[in-house]
Amino acid sequence: MEASNPNPGLLEVRNLTKDFGKIQVLKGITASFAKNEVVSIIGPSGGGKSTFLRCLNLLEMPTSGEIIFDGVNICDKKTDINLHRQKIGMVFQQFNLFNNMNVMKNLIAAPVKIKGMEKEEAKERAMKLLGKVGLADRADAYPHQLSGGQEQRVAIVRALMMEPEVMLFDEPTSALDPEMIGEVLDVMKSLAEDGMTMIVVTHEMRFAREVSGRTIFLCDGVIEEDKPSHALFDHPESPKLVSFLSKVL
Amino acid sequence: MEFFKDIFTLLTRYNSFFVQGIGNTLIIAFFSVILGIVSGTLMATMRLSSVKPLRYLATAYIEFVRGTPLMVQLMFIFYGLPMTGITFPDVPFIPNFARFAAGIVAMSMNSCAYVAEIIRSGIQAVDPGQTEAARSLGFRKSQAMTMVVLPQAIKNILPALGNEFVTVIKESSIVSVIGIADLMFRTNDVIAVTYRSLQCLAIAAVIYFIMTFIGGRFIALLERRLSVGSK
């Protein structure tokens, strides 16, 4: 059921498993993600989507298996994970902007303190990116002064400030009021158009179908289907996927 | 009216007793609070450490200290320890050093456990998502702690820590049982001489209240300073 991928993988996952106590949440996941590819991961709640995504930058430590990023196995204990996380941006369901910093400080903290970027240069870059997501006038605001949609757009910019090679999105619109989902999806869409490599865990089926080239259906810790999006949605094969789609579409 | 006249007379005639008592109470409270915070911070770090033996040791200490009376701890240190050969030395020029040292050690070891719990719960009350976001950007654990978690935790910690200061000032009255001439001890002296228990205790209560009230206000001021830019 694996989609054959002609491009060399930027991110290769092999036989990934993750146990929480006695419960096996991921039961041997193998997948490959190419540069510039936009992949959606869909599936029922509790099926392991978020856990899988969080394993990719080791926010969860996999129980077994390999994650090869840029040719390096990041599960290896000798790998400096902090170095790799700089190249893997992550956007969370709950935004997780630093509450003790205003927007600008949220954005420049990592590039200045980790990459050693000049403060002025970082600020300039931040303003440019904020302009792109329509928030140039909110640079001095604190997170609690922003709406959910604004917070999530800032969170996306914060990840982009590190110029990552791949962006992970963990249900980026699930905590938003319906009228704010559009503004976040628009930002993600334009990112995809700019060629960013993206792995998106989502419940937004339209986004999966229209924006991402490929969709993975993850259910009960197993990849049930992994195909180009239109094929997956128009011709679902596994009974679990058929039943899932009948509930959400 | 007679009552207030008595108080006035007591205050004018025995003010040196009360002043000395206040001084000693403040000395005990001040050093206990400082040492309590320093050791409590260390204890909290151990309590939150990923090294299991450290964590267990800290947990056991905190549980034990919080589960036994301060009176017992104080007497254990002042009367009990010397029997095992551990004594606080006398220091020239500082009268009663051994007593004060025992009092301060007991108070701060006690406060340490409470401060550690205050700091631990303050840190754990910060949304774990904040740390995750910092780690996902490539910050080390320690950077995430100092840059993101602690500045937010301090707002949870300060009010409870203020309570702890007030408690230390009040509880320090217990050191009178090992013969430190603190406010409570001196108040008892005045009662012994004058038999005016009610008036003397009223004076002591008001003085304790003034000290705790000023301490509490000071912490409240700090809280307001630090609440800039938060919810």
Side-chain angles (χ1 to χ4, degrees):
Chain A
M1 210 79 76
E2 292 292 319
S4 60
N5 203 325
N7 306 326
L10 171 67
L11 192 58
E12 297 269 358
V13 181
R14 290 183 200 142
N15 286 320
L16 187 75
T17 70
K18 173 68 185 175
D19 301 348
F20 287 116
K22 284 190 182 134
I23 303 160
Q24 189 165 45
V25 180
L26 300 177
K27 300 169 183 166
I29 304 275
T30 298
S32 155
F33 303 92
K35 209 168 157 41
N36 304 334
E37 200 179 19
V38 179
V39 182
S40 290
I41 302 175
I42 61 168
S45 302
K49 306 185 300 289
S50 286
T51 306
F52 173 64
L53 199 71
R54 289 160 59 83
C55 279
L56 296 182
N57 65 355
L58 301 196
L59 280 183
E60 302 289 353
M61 203 60 200
T63 306
S64 72
E66 285 182 331
I67 299 169
I68 317 287
F69 176 65
D70 266 350
V72 181
N73 181 9
I74 59 172
C75 296
D76 193 332
K77 290 232 161 21
K78 279 174 258 167
T79 311
D80 180 5
I81 183 58
N82 292 324
L83 206 66
H84 286 277
R85 281 187 178 137
Q86 294 171 30
K87 300 186 231 165
I88 307 174
M90 177 127 184
V91 175
F92 299 86
Q93 183 176 355
Q94 299 294 340
F95 332 129
N96 294 346
L97 291 180
F98 304 136
N99 292 324
N100 57 321
M101 305 178 189
N102 66 18
V103 168
M104 183 52 82
K105 284 190 182 137
N106 262 281
L107 298 184
I108 66 173
V112 170
K113 294 222 168 102
I114 298 176
K115 277 191 166 175
M117 192 187 275
E118 285 296 323
K119 215 171 170 177
E120 287 313 309
E121 189 189 343
K123 276 187 176 173
E124 217 169 277
R125 187 172 152 70
M127 283 314 292
K128 214 170 87 190
L129 287 171
L130 275 181
K132 265 194 178 169
V133 300
L135 290 170
D137 55 333
R138 303 313 306 268
D140 296 325
Y142 277 87
H144 70 272
Q145 296 166 323
L146 302 174
S147 71
Q150 292 174 329
E151 278 194 79
Q152 194 61 300
R153 282 183 279 159
V154 173
I156 292 172
V157 171
R158 179 174 67 179
L160 289 176
M161 286 292 292
M162 293 298 279
E163 299 181 298
E165 292 175 31
V166 54
M167 288 275 283
L168 311 178
F169 292 83
D170 188 4
E171 303 194 21
T173 58
S174 296
L176 296 175
D177 292 336
E179 74 269 22
M180 291 170 184
I181 291 175
E183 63 193 53
V184 171
L185 288 182
D186 285 345
V187 170
M188 291 168 63
K189 218 169 172 174
S190 74
L191 254 184
E193 280 158 11
D194 290 347
M196 175 59 76
T197 311
M198 296 162 67
I199 304 172
V200 187
V201 169
T202 187
H203 291 293
E204 292 295 321
M205 295 303 146
R206 271 188 54 194
F207 178 88
R209 184 180 198 140
E210 289 164 18
V211 182
S212 64
R214 192 174 124 214
T215 297
I216 292 173
F217 175 62
L218 190 63
C219 186
D220 299 329
V222 179
I223 293 185
E224 290 281 336
E225 291 200 30
D226 178 353
K227 293 198 281 204
S229 296
H230 58 89
L232 182 130
F233 283 100
D234 295 340
H235 309 290
E237 287 169 35
S238 105
K240 282 181 183 169
L241 176 56
V242 173
S243 136
F244 174 74
L245 289 179
S246 73
K247 280 178 211 149
V248 297
L249 287 181
Chain B
M1 251 6 261
E2 195 63 28
F3 180 77
F4 291 105
K5 229 162 109 190
D6 273 356
I7 284 186
F8 184 74
T9 317
L10 284 167
L11 276 177
T12 42
R13 194 167 301 165
Y14 296 99
N15 65 63
S16 65
F17 280 66
F18 291 113
V19 168
Q20 195 206 13
I22 292 170
N24 286 338
T25 287
L26 287 178
I27 287 171
I28 296 274
F30 176 78
F31 285 107
S32 301
V33 160
I34 299 286
L35 292 174
I37 290 180
V38 173
S39 59
T41 309
L42 280 173
M43 193 61 70
T45 316
M46 283 170 63
R47 177 78 174 69
L48 293 170
S49 156
S50 48
V51 185
K52 265 188 188 166
L54 286 181
R55 206 162 65 221
Y56 291 158
L57 201 69
T59 309
Y61 177 85
I62 291 167
E63 290 301 326
F64 184 75
V65 168
R66 295 204 308 168
T68 51
L70 176 54
M71 175 83 95
V72 174
Q73 295 163 12
L74 178 69
M75 293 194 143
F76 183 85
I77 285 171
F78 186 69
Y79 297 116
L81 280 190
M83 302 197 129
T84 68
I86 304 168
T87 49
F88 292 100
D90 274 314
V91 177
F93 310 116
I94 306 179
N96 265 327
F97 180 81
R99 276 176 210 277
F100 273 86
I104 289 169
V105 165
M107 291 287 306
S108 47
M109 281 181 74
N110 182 270
S111 186
C112 165
Y114 289 92
V115 170
E117 276 302 270
I118 289 168
I119 293 176
R120 178 196 61 76
S121 62
I123 286 173
Q124 287 185 339
V126 175
D127 177 8
Q130 296 282 309
T131 308
E132 283 185 356
R135 298 303 309 273
S136 80
L137 287 164
F139 283 111
R140 287 190 308 275
K141 212 172 170 183
S142 58
Q143 288 175 310
M145 187 53 102
T146 53
M147 233 182 50
V148 179
V149 178
L150 284 183
Q152 294 180 56
I154 196 85
K155 287 169 205 153
N156 308 329
I157 291 171
L158 263 186
L161 213 50
N163 272 341
E164 177 59 19
F165 292 169
V166 167
T167 305
V168 167
I169 293 175
K170 289 187 299 182
E171 295 285 293
S172 74
S173 62
I174 209 168
V175 299
S176 58
V177 303
I178 60 165
I180 294 174
D182 76 330
L183 179 56
M184 198 57 224
F185 188 93
R186 281 300 179 228
T187 303
N188 277 326
D189 284 350
V190 181
I191 293 174
V193 178
T194 63
Y195 297 107
R196 297 282 192 278
S197 318
L198 185 63
Q199 292 83 339
C200 290
L201 290 171
I203 291 171
V206 170
I207 295 174
Y208 273 117
F209 177 75
I210 291 171
M211 290 195 286
T212 55
F213 186 76
I214 292 173
R217 290 293 98 185
F218 178 70
I219 296 291
L221 198 78
L222 262 181
E223 273 170 47
R224 240 169 299 150
R225 280 271 172 87
L226 282 166
S227 69
V228 181
S230 66
K231 275 180 228 195

